[in-house]
Amino acid sequence: SAASDVYKRQIENRPKEIEKREIFGHWEMDTVKGKRGVTKSCMLVLTERKTRDEIVIKLKDQGAASVVDALDRLERKWGDMFYKVFRSITVDNGVEFSDYEGMERSALKEEKRTFVFYCHPYSSWERGTNENNNRLIRRHIPKGVDFEDTTDEEIKYIETWINNYPRGIFDFKTSAELFDEELQKLACLLYTSPSP
């Protein structure tokens, strides 16, 4: 049933290994909204839990279909690597994340592309990595600012700035450096595994 499907996706049913941040490829996802009642668009923000790497995508509106469309585009961009890099995504209960089937369904193949888990209502600390990185976005786009006219170039600049920000938690390495290291490990695994 739909209710039991949603229950399976509650954060307490998320594999415990995700909690520890030792395994690469588990993300938190949120939207950063502009000026209330003015800005239709929003930014979809994905933060990888282990490296804190950030992906920022501007959406034309705050609908669930726009979120699914953005994940479809990400999947096409990453190709076969998508399934190793985006193993799970944890979201809040916002209406924009209500279509878990669409978020999980692959645009390129038969099986699922990822697994979606939901935080408890009003429990933003369950996506704490996201919340911290959202503060970095707000250094560039303060709360209450209408960012309808923000260009893709400006968003790419913010994303790059966040990912190249030296972090004390990582001995002042950047998320971009750590993310690249993880991608290299994955590439080695892909290319050294015996072919069938």
Side-chain angles (χ1 to χ4, degrees):
S1 77
S4 71
D5 260 9
V6 170
Y7 175 73
K8 279 192 299 209
R9 286 168 176 76
Q10 294 304 316
I11 196 166
E12 59 264 31
N13 297 312
R14 187 175 74 173
K16 295 289 172 258
E17 65 180 39
I18 297 175
E19 200 60 41
K20 297 188 180 113
R21 300 178 189 273
E22 287 166 8
I23 295 172
F24 175 70
H26 297 290
W27 297 74
E28 297 174 10
M29 185 163 70
D30 192 16
T31 49
V32 173
K33 297 177 171 89
K35 194 170 189 175
R36 194 181 295 257
V38 175
T39 312
K40 266 203 347 237
S41 61
C42 67
M43 283 187 272
L44 186 68
V45 180
L46 291 101
T47 313
E48 200 280 320
R49 284 177 56 82
K50 183 178 180 186
T51 63
R52 310 323 196 251
D53 192 77
E54 185 93 336
I55 294 172
V56 185
I57 302 166
K58 187 174 178 184
L59 304 182
K60 66 180 189 304
D61 61 41
Q62 297 166 22
S66 292
V67 171
V68 172
D69 178 59
L71 291 176
D72 288 350
R73 281 179 292 159
L74 261 185
E75 185 185 11
R76 287 190 186 97
K77 176 183 166 184
W78 282 87
D80 284 341
M81 281 291 276
F82 183 93
Y83 319 110
K84 305 251 185 260
V85 175
F86 298 88
R87 294 159 57 141
S88 81
I89 304 173
T90 300
V91 296
D92 64 22
N93 292 271
V95 69
E96 64 268 40
F97 301 129
S98 56
D99 183 6
Y100 66 84
E101 288 167 318
M103 291 188 288
E104 289 184 343
R105 184 179 51 243
S106 172
L108 301 176
K109 56 183 199 166
E110 286 302 307
E111 60 262 37
K112 289 181 181 188
R113 61 181 163 200
T114 191
F115 292 90
V116 170
F117 296 97
Y118 287 96
C119 297
H120 295 104
Y122 313 109
S123 305
S124 59
W125 66 87
E126 292 177 343
R127 284 182 306 85
T129 313
N130 237 177
E131 292 293 318
N132 285 335
N133 273 9
N134 288 354
R135 282 194 206 108
L136 294 175
I137 289 176
R138 292 296 187 193
R139 290 191 187 185
H140 298 272
I141 303 174
K143 244 187 167 99
V145 166
D146 175 18
F147 53 73
E148 205 71 64
D149 298 326
T150 308
T151 64
D152 288 343
E153 288 73 27
E154 288 168 305
I155 288 169
K156 190 77 201 157
Y157 170 82
I158 294 168
E159 180 187 283
T160 303
W161 181 85
I162 291 171
N163 289 332
N164 288 284
Y165 185 83
R167 294 176 182 254
I169 192 169
F170 297 137
D171 292 331
F172 298 97
K173 278 184 146 181
T174 69
S175 293
E177 289 173 281
L178 296 172
F179 191 76
D180 284 345
E181 284 171 19
E182 294 290 343
L183 290 183
Q184 282 165 12
K185 285 184 214 165
L186 280 180
C188 287
L189 285 175
L190 286 175
Y191 294 118
T192 55
S193 58
S195 47

